[in-house]
């Protein structure tokens, strides 16, 4: 795997910053103005893996993963956790929306709009997992310590 080009890295950083800003703005818009705290909390929850993805890209640019590659394992686990939370929330709020026969309501407990932000949480968890694994694979390709063939045991060829 080749290293990431400058334009692609700038786009990754831009979209992760956009994910952070939109997730935080949802807290203020839906929480304070519309009093829909389900959407507000899931928007805040989606901003967390977006910020972790942003920090992942910045650490890649600074070369932090070359010094501390074991931290990538924890980022993979965190990405899996956010994916699982997003899927569970999506299914739960979708079932609640159908059970209570709601439409798309903004005020109060709007369950169908909450599924959108559960999906966004799942998406950022997936992107965190994907980029962490790709950077980890890049590190493994560049810094291979183990030889590909085992040396002979008694010195004979």
């Amino acid at each position: 795997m080749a290293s990431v080009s400058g334009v692609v890295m700038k786009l990754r950083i831009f979209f992760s910053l956009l994910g952070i800003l939109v997730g935080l703005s949802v807290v203020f818009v839906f929480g304070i103005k519309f009093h829909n705290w389900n959407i507000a909390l899931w928007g805040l929850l989606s901003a967390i893996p977006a910020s972790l993805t942003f920090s992942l890209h910045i650490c890649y640019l600074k070369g932090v993963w070359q010094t501390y590659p074991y931290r990538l394992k924890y980022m993979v686990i965190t990405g899996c956790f956010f994916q699982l939370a997003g899927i569970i929330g999506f299914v739960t709020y979708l079932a609640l929306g159908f059970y209570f026969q709601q439409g798309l309501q903004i005020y109060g407990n709007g369950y169908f709009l909450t599924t959108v932000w559960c999906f966004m949480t799942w998406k950022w968890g997936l992107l965190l997992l994907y980029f962490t694994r790709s950077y980890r694979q890049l590190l493994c390709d560049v810094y291979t310590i183990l030889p590909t063939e085992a040396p002979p045991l008694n010195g004979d060829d």
Side-chain angles (χ1 to χ4, degrees), residues 4 9 13 54-68 71 135 139 143:
V4 181
M9 185 55 72
I13 290 172
F54 173 74
S55 68
L56 181 78
H57 297 316
I58 296 299
C59 288
Y60 172 75
L61 284 177
K62 291 185 177 183
V64 172
W65 303 125
Q66 297 167 358
T67 310
Y68 303 106
R71 290 183 181 174
Y135 292 151
L139 275 176
Y143 297 103

Side-chain angles (χ1 to χ4, degrees), residues 16 21 55 62-63 91 93 100 113 122 127 135 151 157:
S16 59
L21 293 175
S55 68
K62 291 185 177 183
V91 170
Y93 283 109
F100 290 116
L113 286 177
W122 173 82
L127 289 175
Y135 292 151
D157 287 12

